Structures are given as structure tokens and as C-alpha cells.
């Protein structure tokens, strides 16, 4: 997976702003991973179930450097009080293998009849929330500080050892208010939802025309994909030398909505003017990427602003937001005895808002009615939920050194368990990549080695709880990331649709001098094998999945040092690429665009509009340099 790089430069060019104003494998036999290839052989179909390539050696002479690095936030800032800091996972005591589902689960929240030690394996699936945004995607990776690779800089170099990466991730998670790090956003209305394709091979992909195009997507290529800067939102001022979380962005028919410091603001999609503003008592901690059919979403926030004396007041406030009216409809809290529960994550499925934590999970109907909350007698707890088309819980049972994760598809209205898959004992963390079809990611035995949180993907039948297949995704070959420690939906640089998993390869040498590039490849979620489909980024570009658009894949191409970025649509079967948007290649525009990398920023695309935004704000290093919270691009 992606090698953890240095912190990103957050400083755009000198001189201020720009643009206008304002089948299942045998049990107990984990898949064998072949040795990594020396590089991608683009003229040869990949071996089934195996990816590529290795990280290349860095050239002797680097290309032009990118802007300077931002200040690091102080450790310990913003971590909710009363919640334990994330602990590094430990390798399982027994080799990971395939198990079998346990007994049928009982009522939601009740301990299972099968003993914990019994071995077994346990976004929007990419439905179309708001302009085809896939629920369940778009969140990032291990909570690390955002970084910005050097413009045009080749990849390669040493990877940090996994133990050190986990420790660093845990420390920064504390600093960023339990995952105030960056998430790669896919948000919007849950429309055009796909059927659960579990047990079917190939899914419901689009039908390609003779020219390789597809008619299944909503996003159409404009006559001229050339884009311009629509508007930019200045970075908010931050008092003291602190870092404040500003996670959350959504896109509706009329507005681009972005979290600021203790507020949520709706902006005109084309001009950037403020349409409405919702003040909050404290900073946003987490935001759901999912949106209901009537444009409702949910956030977690602190009850007060942090101070030096009280750097965090805990993420206890659960709010429902109307993105059309620009109103906070209600705020709720949950207690254990007399103590407020501080939650780590929040999601939305149908009309249910669900929150999870080390104290357990709770859920509310959009009307504000409490549906369930932690039970003191529970020997297991819901660490978090994946939303979108379905609601899936990551339920933790057993002690830390004998942990077993239960992946439960539950009824979002009643909390009743529909199906359950038990993962092998010893896996401490898992991430929900998609709920329909159900795909889970985990770093089994801490074997990824790169801090990405992914060594394997598990394709599960959400109706029966049975494992369909397991996909090995070695960290040195693929660039997707999941956090999984506190934010179970925090995955980015990947997509699920057409009953396939789409992953980008790691960067490798291109054809030009010092150039780097990569590809997107597809895995069949029924067989676990690669389909042979491959989308090339192009020399000097790196390509990352954003979301599904019906049967098509929407992807972003990060540009080399002398070009602008692109948004492309890739047909679901023919894999033909169509350019939807081409950003300007001017220095000022490109520098701001590349200051927001897809690994650690929020990206949203719909109908010729591309929005990029940061997920934290910090004190500016100099008064002369202009920083941006968000920037919007659009075609004519």
C-alpha cells in the first residue's frame, strides 16, 4: 500500500489567491502470495489474484520540489476524554486461516452462543449517494498527518516497519481527535442503489457499446472538458499553535457543503458564495459520507471549543444536518450511567444514524428516536458501523490478546442481526470497505508492513454470512488504505462496483526520465481473481479511484509537475477511459491542486464539478502565504 510519506506542504504559491473571488477458498488455507514482480508487464495479463509492482528505485536527480511542509500538530490534541487511546495491534497467536461461520446470531447486542475462541473468519457498497457517490468509501487510512509528495517526484525508498507505523498512527490519531485525519470523501445522496450481488459473478455492470463506452453511468463527457477555477475558500484562522479538525464535505443539487472550524457552511456550487451557515459549539470530529434521499446527513462534534487547559471535550454530540435547508435538526447524546459516551465514528444507512466506540454502539432514527444503545451486560461491543445501502457492524469480542471480530449485517430499524461472519481470532482491527456487496479489509498478522491497514480483503455474502473469497493485496503492490483503528469506514483509494474491487497499483517507473505512473486493476469478488482489466494513468500521472457511477468507475489523475489534473470515467467492462474534466496547467492553479492529494484530502466530483478540500486547519506559518480550505473546478 502507499508508503507513509512526509507531511504535505500546505502552502500555495506566493502572492495570494487565484481565480474569481468570492466461489469460497478451502478452509484453514490462506492464499499464497507469490513474490512481487520487478515491475508491471503491461503487455501481459496479470496472474489471477496477484498484483504488481514493486516500488522503484529513486532516480539520482529529483524533479522540481513542491511547497514547504506545514507545522506538526501537538500530540494529544483533541482526543476525546474518557476514551482510551488506540493500542497497536498484535500479531495473532495462530496463523490466520479460513474458518467457518458460527451459530446463527441471536438478537442484536446479545452475546453469541459460540465461544469466542472458536476459529473462524468473519460504502455506499458503491451505491449512488448524491451524484453516484459510493457510500462506504472515501475515508482514509491509518490516521497519519497529511502529506504532499513532491511534484513529479519518483516513488520508492524505504518503508517504515509496521510496528513503528502503528505507534505513529496511534499517536497522531490522538492528535487529530480520533481520526480527525483525512478522509477521501465520497458523499451524497443514496440514490440508484445497486442490488446486493453476493453470490453472483460479474455483478450488474454497465453494457458497453461497440466503441468500448458504457451507457450505465450518469456522468457525461462535456464537449470541452477544459476546466477553470470556480472559487476557493480561504483556510480559517486558527488560534494558538493548534490543529483543528474540519472533516466533512458533501454535494447536493445546489450546494457544495464543507465543515469549517465549529461550523458547517453551504456554498454555491458555481460561484462559491455562502448560501447558509450552521454554527456548532465545538469542532467536528467525524462526518458521515452518506446522505439520505432528502439530503440529510450526520456529524459528531465536541460540545465546546478546545483550549490549552482542555484540549478536547470529547466527541459526544451527535447531530442530524439538513443540507438543503442548512439547519441542524437535532443533537443527541448517549450515556453510560452518568457519563457521556465519546464516539469514534458515525455513519448513516437508510433512516438510521449509527455511532460506534470502545464503549459500544448506538443508533437513532432520523426523527431523533433512540433505536439502541450499549448494554452494560454485553461482553462484546460495536466498535463501529459501515453504512450506505446496508448497515454492517464491526463487533469486538474477547480480550485484546484473544480478540475476535464479528462482521454483522443488521437491520437498521430494529438492530436485529441478519447475518454474521466471524473473522479469525487475533485480528484486532477491520474496516468496512463496502456494505453492498459486503467487503471487509484487514491487516492479517500485521503483514502489510506499510501502515496501510490492508493485507487482505474479504468478500462476504451479507445474506448468509459466508465467506465468498479472500483477496490477497500485498502492501508493496497496491496503494489502497484503510484506518480501521477507530474509523471502520475510513478507506480510500479504492472502489467497489460491478461485483468487483478496483485497486490502484503502487507507483513505478514510467517511460519518461524520472517519471512515475501506476494503474487501476480489478478483482472479481466471487472468485478473488484479477479480471485482466487495467486502466493506465499515463506517463507522469498517478490514478486513484474516486467512486462508482452506475457501472462506470470515476477516477482522478494526479498530474506531473507541468500539467493539470484530470477526472476520467472508466467503463465497467471495456475499461475505456473518457476524460470528464481537465484542470489548468498554470503554476498557480497546479500548485494549489497538488497541495491536496487524494490520499489525504476530500475529493468530490459530479456533473462537471470537482471539489477538493482539507480536513484539518492549523496556524499559518507566514502571513504572506495563502492557504485554502477548499477549491472548486468546473467545466463550461
Amino acid at each position: 500500500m502507499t508508503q507513509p510519506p512526509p507531511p504535505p506542504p500546505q502552502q500555495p504559491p506566493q502572492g495570494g489567491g487565484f481565480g474569481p473571488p468570492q466461489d469460497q477458498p478451502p478452509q484453514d488455507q490462506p492464499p499464497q502470495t507469490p513474490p512481487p514482480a520487478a515491475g508491471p508487464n503491461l503487455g501481459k495479463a496479470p496472474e489471477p489474484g496477484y498484483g504488481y509492482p514493486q516500488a522503484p528505485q529513486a532516480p539520482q536527480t529529483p524533479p522540481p520540489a513542491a511547497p514547504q511542509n506545514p507545522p506538526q500538530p501537538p500530540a494529544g490534541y483533541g482526543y476525546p476524554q474518557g476514551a482510551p487511546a488506540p493500542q497497536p495491534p498484535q500479531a495473532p497467536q495462530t496463523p490466520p486461516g479460513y474458518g467457518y461461520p458460527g451459530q446463527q446470531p441471536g438478537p442484536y447486542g446479545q452475546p453469541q452462543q459460540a465461544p469466542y475462541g472458536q476459529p473462524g473468519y468473519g460504502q455506499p457498497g458503491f451505491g449512488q449517494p448524491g451524484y453516484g457517490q459510493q457510500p462506504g468509501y472515501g475515508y482514509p487510512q491509518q490516521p497519519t498527518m497529511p502529506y504532499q509528495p513532491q511534484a513529479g517526484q519518483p516513488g520508492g525508498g524505504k518503508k517504515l516497519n509496521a510496528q513503528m507505523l502503528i505507534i505513529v498512527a496511534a499517536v497522531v490519531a490522538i492528535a487529530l481527535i480520533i481520526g480527525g485525519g483525512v478522509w477521501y470523501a465520497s458523499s451524497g445522496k443514496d440514490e440508484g442503489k445497486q442490488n446486493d450481488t453476493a453470490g453472483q459473478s460479474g455483478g450488474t455492470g454497465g453494457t458497453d457499446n461497440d466503441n468500448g463506452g458504457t451507457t450505465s453511468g450518469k456522468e457525461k463527457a462535456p464537449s470541452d472538458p477544459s476546466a477553470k477555477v470556480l472559487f476557493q475558500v480561504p483556510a480559517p484562522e486558527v488560534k494558538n499553535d493548534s490543529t483543528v479538525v474540519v472533516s466533512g464535505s458533501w454535494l447536493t443539487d445546489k450546494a457544495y457543503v464543507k465543515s469549517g472550524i465549529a461550523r458547517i457552511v453551504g456554498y454555491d456550487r458555481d460561484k462559491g458564495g455562502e448560501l447558509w451557515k450552521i454554527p456548532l459549539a465545538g469542532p467536528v470530529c467525524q462526518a458521515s459520507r452518506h446522505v439520505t434521499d432528502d439530503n440529510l446527513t450526520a456529524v459528531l462534534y465536541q460540545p465546546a471549543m478546545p483550549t490549552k487547559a482542555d484540549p478536547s471535550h470529547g466527541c459526544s454530540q451527535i447531530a442530524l444536518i439538513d443540507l438543503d435547508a442548512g439547519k441542524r435538526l437535532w443533537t443527541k447524546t448517549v450515556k453510560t450511567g452518568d457519563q457521556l459516551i465519546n464516539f469514534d465514528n458515525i455513519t448513516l444507512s437508510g433512516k438510521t444514524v449509527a455511532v460506534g466506540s470502545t464503549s459500544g454502539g448506538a443508533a437513532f432514527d432520523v426523527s431523533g428516536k433512540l433505536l439502541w444503545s450499549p448494554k452494560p451486560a454485553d461482553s462484546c461491543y460495536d466498535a463501529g458501523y459501515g453504512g450506505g445501502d446496508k448497515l454492517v457492524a464491526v463487533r469486538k469480542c474477547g480480550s485484546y490478546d484473544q480478540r475476535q471480530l464479528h462482521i454483522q449485517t443488521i437491520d437498521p430499524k430494529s438492530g436485529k442481526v441478519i447475518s454474521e461472519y466471524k473473522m479469525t481470532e487475533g485480528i484486532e482491527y477491520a474496516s468496512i470497505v463496502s456494505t453492498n456487496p459486503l467487503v471487509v479489509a484487514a491487516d492479517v498478522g500485521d503483514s502489510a508492513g506499510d501502515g496501510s491497514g490492508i493485507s487482505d480483503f474479504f468478500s462476504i455474502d451479507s445474506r448468509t454470512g459466508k465467506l465468498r473469497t479472500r483477496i490477497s493485496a500485498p502492501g508493496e503492490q497496491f496503494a489502497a488504505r484503510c484506518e480501521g483503528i477507530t474509523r471502520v469506514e475510513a478507506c480510500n483509494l479504492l472502489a467497489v462496483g460491478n461485483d468487483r474491487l478496483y485497486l490502484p497499483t503502487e507507483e513505478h517507473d514510467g517511460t519518461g526520465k524520472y517519471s512515475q505512473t501506476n494503474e487501476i486493476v480489478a478483482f472479481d469478488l466471487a472468485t478473488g481473481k484479477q479480471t485482466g482489466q487495467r486502466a493506465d494513468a499515463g506517463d507522469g500521472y498517478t490514478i486513484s479511484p474516486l467512486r462508482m457511477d452506475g457501472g462506470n468507475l470515476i477516477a482522478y489523475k494526479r498530474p506531473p509537475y507541468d500539467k493539470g489534473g484530470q477526472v476520467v470515467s472508466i467503463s465497467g467492462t471495456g475499461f475505456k477511459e473518457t476524460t470528464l474534466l481537465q484542470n489548468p496547467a498554470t503554476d498557480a492553479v497546479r500548485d494549489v491542486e497538488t497541495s491536496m492529494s487524494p490520499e489525504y484530502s476530500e475529493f468530490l466530483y459530479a456533473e462537471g464539478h470537482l471539489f477538493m478540500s482539507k480536513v484539518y486547519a492549523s496556524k499559518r506559518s507566514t502571513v504572506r502565504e495563502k492557504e485554502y480550505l477548499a477549491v472548486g473546478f468546473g467545466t463550461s
Side-chain angles (χ1 to χ4, degrees):
M1 303 305 165
T2 302
Q3 176 181 352
Q10 301 294 331
Q11 308 297 336
Q14 302 285 340
F18 62 93
Q22 301 278 113
D23 127 21
Q24 175 173 349
Q27 296 184 354
D28 301 319
Q29 296 296 326
Q32 300 298 317
T33 303
N41 183 352
L42 303 184
K44 178 182 177 181
E47 294 297 324
Y50 180 65
Y52 59 90
Q54 284 185 315
Q57 298 296 322
Q60 299 301 314
T61 306
Q68 300 178 353
N69 296 332
Q72 298 291 332
Y77 176 84
Y79 194 88
Q81 296 176 345
Q87 298 296 320
Q90 300 188 9
Q93 302 301 312
T94 57
Y98 293 99
Y100 51 91
Q103 299 177 9
Q104 289 299 317
Y108 182 69
Q110 298 299 319
Q112 301 301 310
Q113 298 301 313
Y116 302 150
Q118 182 175 351
Y121 261 158
Q123 3 171 274
F126 275 28
Q128 301 300 316
Y131 302 111
Q133 299 289 351
Q134 291 186 331
Y137 290 101
Y139 277 88
Q141 57 282 333
Q142 298 280 8
T144 58
M145 282 298 296
Y147 84 100
Q148 172 58 43
Q150 301 293 325
Q153 178 177 341
K158 276 190 175 180
K159 301 216 175 192
L160 297 176
N161 70 58
Q163 183 176 6
M164 180 60 69
L165 285 165
I166 292 168
I167 295 173
V168 172
V171 171
V172 180
I174 295 174
L176 294 182
I177 310 181
I178 308 186
V182 185
W183 53 278
Y184 187 67
S186 294
S187 64
K189 188 186 303 180
D190 290 335
E191 62 183 17
K193 297 175 182 177
Q194 64 186 39
N195 295 324
D196 189 345
T197 53
Q200 303 174 17
S201 177
T204 56
T207 301
D208 278 19
N209 297 322
D210 292 339
N211 63 1
T214 181
T215 59
S216 65
K218 295 183 179 180
E219 302 293 350
K220 306 303 179 184
S223 56
D224 181 4
S226 299
K228 63 179 180 180
V229 176
L230 298 176
F231 64 89
Q232 62 276 340
V233 179
E237 294 288 349
V238 178
K239 297 180 180 180
N240 307 318
D241 295 325
S242 60
T243 296
V244 181
V245 175
V246 288
S247 292
S249 60
W250 306 266
L251 197 55
T252 72
D253 294 339
K254 298 179 180 179
Y256 167 66
V257 184
K258 175 62 187 166
S259 294
I261 297 180
R263 66 178 190 168
I264 300 174
V265 182
Y267 300 93
D268 183 283
R269 297 200 320 172
D270 296 309
K271 299 179 181 179
E274 287 192 12
L275 301 177
W276 48 261
K277 180 168 57 178
I278 303 173
L280 301 172
V284 170
C285 305
Q286 294 294 318
S288 172
R289 80 214 51 188
H290 308 294
V291 176
T292 66
D293 292 336
D294 49 353
N295 283 332
L296 305 180
T297 194
V299 300
L300 279 172
Y301 69 93
Q302 295 189 50
M305 288 298 296
T307 64
K308 286 186 176 180
D310 293 304
S312 173
H313 299 278
C315 299
S316 59
Q317 310 297 299
I318 308 162
L320 186 71
I321 305 298
D322 187 330
L323 298 174
D324 285 336
K327 295 181 179 180
R328 180 175 45 153
L329 300 182
W330 49 254
T331 295
K332 302 291 182 179
T333 59
V334 182
K335 291 184 177 182
T336 296
D338 295 332
Q339 297 296 316
L340 286 176
I341 296 178
N342 294 317
F343 292 99
D344 302 330
N345 51 76
I346 187 167
T347 195
L348 192 151
S349 179
K351 299 293 184 179
T352 297
V353 176
V355 287
S357 73
T358 55
S359 297
F364 294 85
D365 184 83
V366 293
S367 67
K369 176 184 176 182
L370 179 65
L371 299 177
W372 66 80
S373 61
K375 297 176 178 62
D378 278 357
S379 57
C380 304
Y381 67 91
D382 288 1
Y385 302 91
D389 285 359
K390 298 186 177 183
L391 188 62
V392 176
V394 176
R395 189 164 178 82
K396 291 194 173 186
C397 297
S399 60
Y400 180 82
D401 58 348
Q402 290 184 316
R403 184 78 72 199
Q404 186 171 48
L405 303 184
H406 300 195
I407 308 302
Q408 298 178 334
T409 298
I410 61 180
D411 185 325
K413 294 182 180 180
S414 67
K416 179 182 177 181
V417 176
I418 298 171
S419 68
E420 178 180 68
Y421 175 71
K422 294 181 181 180
M423 302 192 76
T424 267
E425 184 178 316
I427 299 176
E428 179 67 20
Y429 305 108
S431 299
I432 305 298
V433 177
S434 166
T435 63
N436 185 25
L438 179 53
V439 180
V440 174
D443 186 356
V444 180
D446 189 25
S447 59
D450 63 348
S452 63
I454 305 171
S455 66
D456 297 84
F457 292 92
F458 300 83
S459 174
I460 303 167
D461 189 325
S462 63
R463 295 175 300 225
T464 66
K466 294 182 179 180
L467 183 69
R468 301 176 65 199
T469 192
R470 176 176 172 181
I471 299 170
S472 176
E476 71 274 13
Q477 299 171 30
F478 300 101
R481 303 178 67 86
C482 289
E483 187 228 281
I485 297 176
T486 60
R487 299 175 298 144
V488 301
E489 278 190 309
C491 295
N492 71 329
L493 305 181
L494 77 178
V496 173
N498 304 319
D499 206 35
R500 292 178 173 89
L501 169 66
Y502 299 99
L503 298 178
T505 67
E506 286 284 4
E507 293 183 28
H508 56 85
D509 289 337
T511 57
K513 190 175 183 180
Y514 308 137
S515 71
Q516 294 284 287
T517 189
N518 76 327
E519 301 78 32
I520 291 176
V521 296
F523 289 85
D524 191 304
L525 290 175
T527 66
K529 298 179 180 180
Q530 285 195 34
T531 65
Q533 296 169 314
R534 186 179 299 143
D536 298 326
D539 202 38
Y541 290 87
T542 54
I543 189 169
S544 305
L546 290 184
R547 63 173 175 86
M548 299 302 295
D549 172 33
N552 298 338
L553 175 65
I554 303 297
Y556 171 73
K557 290 187 176 183
R558 184 175 175 83
Y561 70 93
D562 58 348
K563 292 183 173 62
Q566 298 177 346
V567 175
V568 298
S569 176
I570 303 171
S571 66
T573 53
F575 251 47
K576 176 186 177 182
E577 294 184 29
T578 301
T579 301
L580 301 177
L581 179 145
Q582 170 70 62
N583 279 340
T586 63
D587 290 345
V589 175
R590 187 179 63 251
D591 287 347
V592 173
E593 176 180 5
T594 57
S595 75
M596 299 185 188
S597 69
E599 291 89 345
Y600 300 100
S601 301
E602 299 173 351
F603 277 46
L604 297 175
Y605 175 83
E607 297 179 335
H609 295 73
L610 173 65
F611 298 96
M612 305 176 178
S613 65
K614 297 179 180 178
V615 300
Y616 77 97
S618 59
K619 189 174 182 179
R620 297 175 186 172
S621 57
T622 70
V623 296
R624 293 184 304 164
E625 294 178 335
K626 189 74 173 178
E627 292 186 5
Y628 299 99
L629 174 66
V631 58
F633 300 92
T635 58
S636 300

